[in-house]
Amino acid sequence: MWDDLFANRPVRLLYITGRGFDLRAQSVLRELVRSVEYSQPKIDKATLLLVEFSAYHISEELRSLTEENGKALAEIFKPIGSVVSESFNANSAGESDIGPTSLLRMAAQKILNQIDEYTDIVLDVSSLPRVAYLAIMTGILKKILPDLQRSNALYAGGVNFQVVVAEDALLDANIRSEDPRSDLTLIPGFSEILHSEAASEWPSVWFPILGERRASQFEKVWDYIPPSAEICPVLPHPSRDHRRADQLLVEYRELLFERADTPRSNILYAHEAQPFEAYRQLLNAMIRYKESLGVLGGCRLLVTPLASKLITLGAGLACFEMQAKADQNSCGVAMPYVEPTRYSTSMERVRAAKPLVSALLLTGHAYDPSTLEKIQS
């Protein structure tokens, strides 16, 4: 795909990735650089934007792994372009007078201000926290797709926007997100409906996308969800671990079925490794609730991502499209989340990861009307 995408045109490439402890980011970048060196496109400019995080608490071992990872990423990219760094601290302790949602918005905007001059934007979420890559991904989509309803909108003026990830759901399950903040974090652009007085009487539907060891975050978010909300848990199935969905049901049994009395029929299943399938499942569910609750005046659709990366990406895409489809007088979408302040895992697990590289081409030349006509003919 990359060989065809970069061929026969000048390329100005911006590659965005996290300078974190997750070594999986090296797998994706190494594959892309290898493709560029093999196909030898005309590179007018290439920039690696390393997003740094200093506000999270991690062990000294993971901190040293972060330094190692940053140096390795810069070295891999060196043959094709330059490297710049940008701080992204959505929960800085020194900014106590500013809420986490506002901090996240300002941090994401610093990234969005740098994308204008590029023809190709690659967002690698392998080593980025959820709130960071969801805010960046939806922000870029809103910027290059100001009107999703227009004909051939996904061509986006020829800007190729990809989201790539080295996915290993087993490693994600073993990275502990601990010490959640007390404040709710809302993904920028998906917050107004929770604060709207006009929508305060609308029924709410909450889609928590379940992941391992996230029960404390689940409970913190639940404190902000309207008590009468319908809960529709999203589980990963099919999965590499065939028992994963069952194990998650056991882990969240007390919360979902004893305290909330969630009907079993409300459970949604999304393919662990197919983000577009997760996107379709969630989007269709939101559309059904919008149509059925329309007789009550409107509804609020709330999505909390607690799962592994590919499902979370699918959920982000579903929220982006649903918001574009929604009439603000009858429906609204929000992504409430409680950000952890501490991440922990073992270096051995990180180094032993066996990731599968996936690429989602969201906009650009693949959606060129003339290209589609040729394929159809």
Side-chain angles (χ1 to χ4, degrees):
M1 183 190 73
W2 287 332
D3 292 347
D4 291 340
L5 188 64
F6 296 142
N8 303 317
R9 63 181 179 86
V11 173
R12 297 192 301 277
L13 171 67
L14 176 64
Y15 192 100
I16 306 169
T17 191
R19 187 179 179 274
F21 62 80
D22 199 329
L23 303 181
R24 288 178 290 181
Q26 295 181 31
S27 302
V28 190
L29 185 58
R30 192 175 288 112
E31 289 295 329
L32 183 132
V33 170
R34 184 181 294 126
S35 175
V36 169
E37 291 180 327
Y38 175 79
S39 57
Q40 296 185 335
K42 184 180 184 299
I43 301 289
D44 287 347
K45 183 177 183 179
T47 304
L48 171 63
L49 177 55
L50 286 177
V51 184
E52 299 182 351
F53 302 88
S54 60
Y56 298 108
H57 302 292
I58 57 176
S59 68
E60 285 302 318
E61 284 187 334
L62 293 182
R63 200 171 299 280
S64 66
L65 204 60
T66 299
E67 293 297 321
E68 173 190 327
N69 194 31
K71 292 176 181 177
L73 291 168
E75 191 65 27
I76 293 169
F77 197 78
K78 187 187 298 183
I80 66 170
S82 59
V83 181
V84 297
S85 297
E86 186 66 74
S87 175
F88 194 111
N89 292 319
N91 57 348
S92 300
E95 301 285 357
S96 57
D97 57 331
I98 304 177
T101 300
S102 297
L103 281 170
L104 179 61
R105 182 181 295 108
M106 291 188 295
Q109 191 59 47
K110 290 192 294 185
I111 308 297
L112 298 178
N113 290 340
Q114 302 185 43
I115 72 172
D116 292 336
E117 60 179 306
Y118 295 95
T119 61
D120 293 79
I121 304 167
V122 181
L123 173 62
D124 180 0
V125 308
S126 305
S127 192
L128 289 171
R130 286 175 182 79
V131 291
Y133 65 74
L134 285 172
I136 295 171
M137 181 183 75
T138 55
I140 291 175
L141 286 172
K142 287 181 181 180
K143 190 166 185 176
I144 64 178
L145 297 175
D147 182 9
L148 190 59
Q149 304 303 322
R150 79 174 192 273
S151 177
N152 303 319
L154 293 181
Y155 179 60
V159 176
N160 299 294
F161 177 39
Q162 300 178 59
V163 179
V164 296
V165 56
E167 171 80 327
D168 185 339
L170 296 179
L171 175 58
D172 284 336
N174 282 285
I175 297 177
R176 293 179 177 272
S177 302
E178 301 170 322
D179 300 337
R181 293 173 56 93
S182 57
D183 298 330
L184 196 67
T185 301
L186 295 164
I187 304 302
F190 297 88
S191 60
E192 293 182 5
I193 197 64
L194 274 181
H195 305 302
S196 170
E197 291 187 10
S200 60
E201 299 300 320
W202 289 356
S204 299
V205 185
W206 182 33
F207 300 91
I209 305 171
L210 303 184
E212 290 82 358
R213 301 179 178 88
R214 303 291 192 270
S216 60
Q217 291 172 266
F218 179 98
E219 287 191 86
K220 285 287 184 76
V221 176
W222 197 1
D223 290 340
Y224 293 91
I225 301 298
S228 60
E230 185 88 355
I231 301 178
C232 298
V234 182
L235 291 169
H237 182 76
S239 169
R240 184 187 297 184
D241 178 356
H242 302 307
R243 299 280 298 173
R244 189 181 179 200
D246 294 334
Q247 291 163 358
L248 285 169
L249 284 175
V250 172
E251 182 177 346
Y252 289 87
R253 175 181 57 81
E254 180 182 351
L255 294 170
L256 287 175
F257 305 117
E258 295 182 11
R259 288 172 53 181
D261 196 24
T262 304
R264 304 310 196 264
S265 58
N266 280 15
I267 297 173
L268 300 176
Y269 296 97
H271 198 300
E272 175 186 272
Q274 296 290 341
F276 288 122
E277 177 63 23
Y279 146 81
R280 282 192 293 268
Q281 293 277 44
L282 185 56
L283 180 64
N284 288 337
M286 289 194 288
I287 290 173
R288 288 196 299 270
Y289 273 106
K290 174 182 178 292
E291 293 174 349
S292 61
L293 296 176
V295 296
L296 300 178
C299 67
R300 295 187 290 186
L301 305 169
L302 315 175
V303 178
T304 298
L306 300 169
S308 48
K309 288 181 167 59
L310 285 173
I311 291 182
T312 300
L313 290 173
L317 293 175
C319 290
F320 172 75
E321 182 165 338
M322 188 65 202
Q323 188 182 62
K325 292 177 178 291
D327 178 356
Q328 296 302 314
N329 295 320
S330 63
C331 181
V333 183
M335 282 195 276
Y337 185 72
V338 171
E339 181 69 349
T341 59
R342 183 185 303 275
Y343 286 98
S344 65
T345 189
S346 69
M347 293 181 65
E348 291 74 18
R349 288 188 183 277
V350 176
R351 294 189 184 278
K354 297 179 180 179
L356 176 67
V357 176
S358 299
L360 288 70
L361 183 55
L362 302 182
T363 71
H365 286 81
Y367 301 92
D368 186 341
S370 61
T371 301
L372 295 176
E373 289 174 3
K374 292 178 182 177
I375 293 174
Q376 292 170 351
S377 62

